[in-house]
Amino acid sequence: MKPTPPQRTVRLAPPFDITIGNALPLVVIAGPCVMESHDFALDTAATLKRIFAEQGIPFIYKTSYDKANRTANDSFRGIGLEAGLHALQAIREQLGVAVLTDVHTAQQASVVAPVVDMLQTPAFLCRQTDFIHAVAATGKPVNIKKGQFLAPWDMENVLQKALATGNTRITLCERGTMFGYGNLVVDMRSLAIMAATGSPVVFDATHSVQLPGAQRSCSGGQREFVPVLARAAVSVGVAALFLETHPTPETAPCDGPNMIPFSQLPHLLEQVRRIDRLVKGY
């Protein structure tokens, strides 16, 4: 039997005192799918900071300056790289909130890394070797999303590509597996399988309820199942939850059907915090 490697943790650089680990208290990565404007990004980050402070849960703000993997050519993609980085920097400096965003090309990695606290790789690109190398080589913490087409044990190879750069601050993220056409299913065993690599495991509870391409020109989703999957994943003992959330998901230009409204977030956070404490014994 292959020996289990020691469990690694991922610590964000100062000034943020956030460490992500499978045996540590739960961290939550949360925010709207895409930046709708500079002010929208700052306003939502400020609201989420207050919500998470009230719940006593470490929080990393997530949003995307550009969504390069939209269903249709005319889908809203965000406010762009330059404006997006300006907004993320303002969130860090003015609000004192750690930020995460995803990059879609190897060239973007070195431009984005100095501005953010953590990088994220889109699920579709997890097997692109040069891309994984470029993102990990920045030295920043990286959340690598498992492709919808990939078995959990195949993430060991993806992880080794990242570790080959010398960067050990890597988390692996489950976001569901394709189940026929336009549907996803989550195998909770994958959380334990990926944890056996030694890396912290993140569970994306909102993209896991996405219905890819279900509305022909855009994806659908079943947000009513987000709490179900989030509670289940935390009961397994994950390091972090990934939650896309929005003040009014019905009006969101991207991924609205699978985002949870801000109004429902405090109750869900209270539930997962209690489960996490029970499972990890702290």
Side-chain angles (χ1 to χ4, degrees), residues 7-218:
Q7 290 291 305
R8 293 180 293 273
T9 59
V10 172
R11 185 170 186 176
L12 271 57
F16 301 107
D17 185 21
I18 298 177
T19 303
I20 305 170
N22 292 325
L24 299 179
L26 186 72
V27 174
V28 177
I29 301 165
C33 173
V34 66
M35 287 189 194
E36 299 175 28
S37 70
H38 180 98
D39 289 345
F40 175 80
L42 265 70
D43 289 346
T44 52
T47 300
L48 290 172
K49 178 181 179 180
R50 175 182 55 79
I51 291 173
F52 279 91
E54 291 172 351
Q55 293 296 324
I57 297 176
F59 154 63
I60 302 170
Y61 181 77
K62 176 271 163 190
T63 193
S64 300
Y65 54 82
D66 178 28
K67 300 296 290 186
N69 54 355
R70 296 299 84 198
T71 302
N73 188 56
D74 59 354
S75 296
F76 180 73
R77 291 180 53 164
I79 64 175
L81 176 62
E82 185 176 352
L85 293 183
H86 180 65
L88 290 169
Q89 187 171 12
I91 290 168
R92 291 186 81 252
E93 295 178 357
Q94 296 177 26
L95 299 179
V97 171
V99 296
L100 171 151
T101 197
D102 37 18
V103 293
H104 293 269
T105 68
Q107 292 74 22
Q108 288 180 357
S110 60
V111 176
V112 177
V115 180
V116 302
D117 300 284
M118 192 169 191
L119 295 166
Q120 181 168 274
T121 62
F124 290 128
L125 300 181
C126 69
R127 290 199 47 165
Q128 297 298 107
T129 302
D130 291 343
F131 175 69
I132 296 297
H133 282 167
V135 178
T138 65
K140 280 292 175 76
V142 181
N143 185 36
I144 301 180
K145 286 199 167 185
K146 178 179 77 65
Q148 302 92 319
F149 46 84
L150 216 61
W153 45 84
D154 291 331
M155 286 299 287
E156 174 69 37
N157 293 320
V158 179
L159 174 64
Q160 291 306 318
K161 293 177 183 180
L163 295 177
T165 69
N167 187 353
T168 61
R169 296 193 294 170
I170 309 296
T171 64
L172 302 180
C173 183
E174 170 63 61
R175 51 95 68 237
T177 302
M178 290 302 300
F179 188 66
Y181 294 125
N183 197 15
L184 296 167
V185 67
V186 177
D187 180 357
M188 290 295 166
R189 295 176 300 178
S190 69
L191 303 174
I193 291 169
M194 290 196 293
T197 65
S199 283
V201 173
V202 180
F203 178 64
D204 181 345
T206 41
H207 285 106
S208 292
V209 302
Q210 190 179 62
L211 300 175
Q215 299 181 21
R216 301 301 295 273
S217 62
C218 62

